[in-house]
Amino acid sequence: MPMTATTVLTARALLLDMDGTLVNSDAVVERVWRRWADRHGLDADEVMKVVHGRQGYASMAVLLPSRPMEQNYADNARMLAEETADMDGVVAIPGAAEFLASLRGVPHALVTSADVALSTARMGAAGLSLPGVRVTAESVGASKPDPEGFLKGAAELGVAPEDCVVFEDSGAGIAAGRSAGMRVVGVGPRAGFHRPDVVVRDLRQVRVEVLGDGVRLRVG
């Protein structure tokens, strides 16, 4: 079970989700997906239980299992364009800017289900700097909860999966990190339902100490 006292983790690299972890984009996600649910005659509250953390086409495949994937991919492209054009309410998760600044000299990567355009726009709207290594929707063949994105991020950093710590907020993302053989810090209210190794309210509860060969995290 997740621990509530301060937990100390050491790692050689960190892999960071974006939405819900570094950036609060919930307002946009709600607007876009509730419109989509209405168009397809689905219960919007039930739709919202599925969509966090996954690429759009993967969420659609869960919600409309009999629909051809070609339609899901086309719908996903339209929704990405909608989301990229809508930055109203996109803000940084508390502590995100300071957390990213503390990672100078630490191998780290952004691993997000957003594409390049959306991730660049949202990080910019939240006033956050983009990590040098980024694994986006274009970089992978399978959406979270598949571990491909996190494994690719570790490989690009040249670090073994077991030496990485993932920061995630969603069930799909936490499952992906665990499937990759990585420890997972859950961020925010959604995370606690999905059994990460430790949960924090936001990134103000994470303190970073840079070591010669990685980082020590004091979490909680």
Side-chain angles (χ1 to χ4, degrees), residues 34 36-37 42-52 62-63:
R34 285 182 179 277
W36 183 89
L42 299 175
D43 185 307
D45 290 336
E46 293 304 310
V47 167
M48 295 313 303
K49 294 176 183 178
V50 172
V51 301
H52 291 290
V62 173
L63 293 161

Side-chain angles (χ1 to χ4, degrees), residues 193-215:
F193 296 103
H194 303 289
R195 298 176 64 90
D197 293 282
V198 60
V199 181
V200 294
R201 181 179 62 256
D202 56 49
L203 292 169
R204 292 174 295 185
Q205 291 187 288
V206 181
R207 294 166 298 287
V208 176
E209 179 185 349
V210 180
L211 307 175
D213 59 349
V215 63

Side-chain angles (χ1 to χ4, degrees), residues 6 17 20 37 46 74 80 109 114 116 124-126 131 137 150 156-157 161 172 179 185-186 204 220:
T6 299
D17 173 53
E46 293 304 310
L80 282 171
V116 169
F150 287 125
E156 291 195 23
L157 294 171
S179 294
V185 175
R204 292 174 295 185

Side-chain angles (χ1 to χ4, degrees), residues 61-126:
V62 173
L63 293 161
L64 297 173
S66 62
R67 191 166 81 153
M69 282 304 296
E70 291 78 8
Q71 291 184 33
N72 294 338
Y73 289 128
D75 230 0
N76 184 53
R78 287 190 291 270
M79 290 183 71
L80 282 171
E82 284 185 55
E83 290 183 272
T84 304
D86 185 355
M87 292 295 124
D88 187 22
V90 174
V91 296
I93 294 292
E98 296 80 2
F99 175 66
L100 287 170
S102 73
L103 299 184
R104 294 191 185 99
V106 177
H108 65 285
L110 188 73
V111 181
T112 176
S113 295
D115 63 6
V116 169
L118 182 56
S119 58
T120 301
R122 281 188 177 163
M123 290 288 281

Side-chain angles (χ1 to χ4, degrees), residues 28-36 79 82-83 86:
V28 180
V29 174
E30 288 268 347
R31 284 194 293 273
V32 169
W33 277 101
R34 285 182 179 277
R35 286 198 299 266
W36 183 89
M79 290 183 71
E82 284 185 55
E83 290 183 272
D86 185 355

